[in-house]
Amino acid sequence: MKPIPFNKPFVIGRELSLIADAVSRGHLSGDGHYTKLCNRWFEEKLDCRKALLTHSCTAALEMSAILCDLQPGDEVILPSYTFVSTANAFALRGAVAVFVDIRPDTLNIDEKLIEAAITPRTRAIVPVHYAGVPCEMDAIMDIAQRHKLLVVEDAAQALLSTYKGKALGTIGHFGCLSFHETKNIISGEGGALLINDERFFERAEIIREKGTNRSQFFRGEVDKYTWVDIGSSYLPSELVSAFLYAQLERANEITAQRCRICSAYAEQLAPLEQAGKVRLPRFDADSNGHMYYILLDSLATRTALIAHLKAQGINPVFHYVPLHSSPAGRKYGRVSGSMRVTDDLNERLLRLPLHYEMDDADVSRISAAIRDFFA
Ligand SMILES: *Cc1c(COP(=O)(O)O)cnc(C)c1O
């Protein structure tokens, strides 16, 4: 039978012709025609103050960490159940990652545990919108305001998800998006930093341009450009931006297709949830269909189910090794309180194949194979 991969990078529209156009425009480095079109797309469609394309979400997180002006020993609060870059970007600045447990329903940081993790060294909170499902941003922004902390949303999985009508990534001081080929909208590697507080606009441009005021120079605001701050090379090439812009043109369609696949899974797997065999994710209209996972009763069941599906050419995958139990997480971070939910759920979670080119027949075949396993 035809294998069903977990993920499959796809081309939907004008990707290749826009790359050809970028080449013919004769400007291939960053901040040309297509980079500007992408920045404007985010600013308009997400209603965000300022968007800067980067070469990855990791780069956007690193820029945020510099903008937070962290000093060695400062602390940043984040979930342990996340990708490495969420913590590593801050560890690079000498900050300590303070891990807080997640909510059992959304697998997002448990906002009720954040305040207990705050110390005099705390500078920022980094909520991660797991599976594109929003964190409790009202509670998080309220805590941040009362304790004068910055909020960096890791919205890598959350493009076009919303929280109370606002796009994820536009609520905290900073939002970080990813266009890695495993995300909804892709450019191979790619990312963007959304800056929602104008105090940071100028410095963000400088950090992104290797610590120079080159952006101001090109706008004619200074008569020569020079080294003015720390920074690095965070711009994507126009080739990447052109590919990304072609996907942004079709972003609603791509999101709708992923949501359709999630709904089909939910429908087909509902009997298993009713029978108490699996737990299905909360899946509201405000999320972007980034991921479809199931929660099994134990690690043993998950291992057996993976083998059962792989034997039929279906490739599900589990997710993060919690950062608090990783070698670098132990070195550069510490836990605040119990990690009970994180330690429990990470061993039981299984992500099912989900990509743009999947059809109903694929979802039916995968769901039938899962039902068959439990029969
Ligand atoms: C994918 C992802 C990242 C990293 O994104 P890149 O663009 O690959 O750097 C960071 N955080 C989370 C939660 C992610 O899912």
Side-chain angles (χ1 to χ4, degrees):
M1 243 193 279
K2 180 175 70 101
I4 306 179
F6 173 70
N7 179 60
K8 192 171 165 215
F10 63 101
V11 165
I12 182 174
R14 301 201 296 158
E15 286 90 341
L16 300 181
S17 66
L18 294 195
I19 287 176
D21 183 58
V23 172
S24 73
R25 284 170 185 273
H27 175 130
L28 290 182
S29 61
D31 276 348
H33 178 71
Y34 285 104
T35 307
K36 287 179 183 148
L37 281 179
C38 290
N39 289 343
R40 205 174 311 138
W41 191 94
F42 293 115
E43 288 162 5
E44 284 170 8
K45 297 289 192 288
L46 305 183
D47 192 16
C48 124
R49 301 289 307 279
K50 189 174 183 68
L52 293 174
L53 226 53
T54 58
H55 55 67
S56 63
C57 179
T58 299
L61 287 161
E62 289 180 16
M63 286 181 62
S64 305
I66 297 173
L67 288 163
C68 288
D69 227 351
L70 299 173
Q71 305 304 312
D74 282 349
E75 296 177 355
V76 174
I77 294 171
L78 70 161
S80 165
Y81 196 62
T82 181
F83 187 63
V84 172
S85 299
T86 319
N88 184 71
F90 298 91
L92 275 173
R93 308 257 62 83
V96 179
V98 176
F99 300 115
V100 166
D101 210 0
I102 51 174
R103 293 166 55 122
D105 56 351
T106 58
L107 282 69
N108 283 333
I109 190 167
D110 189 335
E111 70 282 355
K112 290 187 296 303
L113 303 177
I114 292 175
E115 234 161 345
I118 294 175
T119 75
R121 296 305 302 268
T122 308
R123 295 289 172 264
I125 306 171
V126 191
V128 178
H129 305 295
Y130 186 70
V133 172
C135 294
E136 280 306 320
M137 291 309 293
D138 279 352
I140 292 169
M141 295 310 291
D142 176 61
I143 294 167
Q145 200 166 28
R146 282 190 283 108
H147 295 270
K148 299 189 166 51
L149 307 177
L150 293 169
V151 174
V152 180
E153 293 179 72
D154 182 337
Q157 303 173 11
L159 176 60
L160 295 177
S161 287
T162 57
Y163 173 81
K164 299 189 177 174
K166 279 191 189 159
L168 295 188
T170 68
I171 302 166
H173 298 83
F174 307 107
C176 303
L177 303 176
S178 175
F179 314 113
H180 184 264
E181 71 172 30
T182 51
K183 303 304 198 283
N184 289 21
I185 307 294
I186 64 173
S187 60
E189 303 277 354
L193 176 64
L194 309 181
I195 307 158
N196 307 313
D197 181 332
E198 68 182 283
R199 278 182 296 164
F200 300 103
F201 287 0
E202 189 176 314
R203 190 161 186 231
E205 283 185 345
I206 289 167
I207 290 166
R208 182 166 164 272
E209 273 282 19
K210 301 96 182 163
T212 74
N213 54 0
R214 194 164 184 259
S215 301
Q216 288 172 292
F217 173 70
F218 278 122
R219 284 196 301 265
E221 293 165 18
V222 291
D223 60 6
K224 57 183 178 303
Y225 87 86
T226 182
W227 186 23
V228 293
D229 199 341
I230 61 165
S232 190
S233 178
Y234 290 126
L235 282 74
S237 134
E238 277 288 288
L239 299 177
V240 169
S241 307
F243 189 103
L244 178 64
Y245 190 67
Q247 293 239 330
L248 292 175
E249 290 181 325
R250 310 285 290 272
N252 289 340
E253 247 169 281
I254 295 168
T255 306
Q257 165 68 352
R258 294 186 76 105
C259 289
R260 211 158 32 236
I261 294 168
C262 289
S263 303
Y265 270 132
E267 199 180 307
Q268 301 230 11
L269 297 173
L272 285 180
E273 183 166 58
Q274 279 145 23
K277 304 289 189 196
V278 302
R279 210 193 86 197
L280 303 180
R282 203 194 85 185
F283 180 64
D284 295 335
D286 57 3
S287 65
N288 64 355
H290 174 62
M291 189 191 297
Y292 200 83
Y293 64 80
I294 56 177
L295 284 163
L296 289 318
D297 66 352
S298 67
L299 176 58
T301 305
R302 182 175 79 178
T303 307
L305 178 57
I306 292 173
H308 173 82
L309 295 175
K310 284 206 164 147
Q312 301 177 54
I314 297 164
N315 287 285
V317 293
F318 47 83
H319 216 176
Y320 310 122
V321 174
L323 298 181
H324 74 275
S325 52
S326 69
R330 282 201 285 260
K331 187 167 172 193
Y332 299 110
R334 65 173 171 81
V335 299
S336 168
S338 151
M339 291 286 125
R340 189 178 53 80
V341 181
T342 304
D343 286 332
D344 172 31
L345 295 188
N346 90 82
E347 296 199 323
R348 303 195 282 115
L349 181 140
L350 189 63
R351 293 182 292 161
L352 303 180
L354 174 51
H355 48 84
Y356 179 75
E357 288 172 2
M358 273 174 61
D359 57 22
D360 289 347
D362 292 328
V363 177
S364 297
R365 192 177 127 203
I366 295 162
S367 304
I370 297 171
R371 289 196 303 266
D372 182 45
F373 173 82
F374 285 105

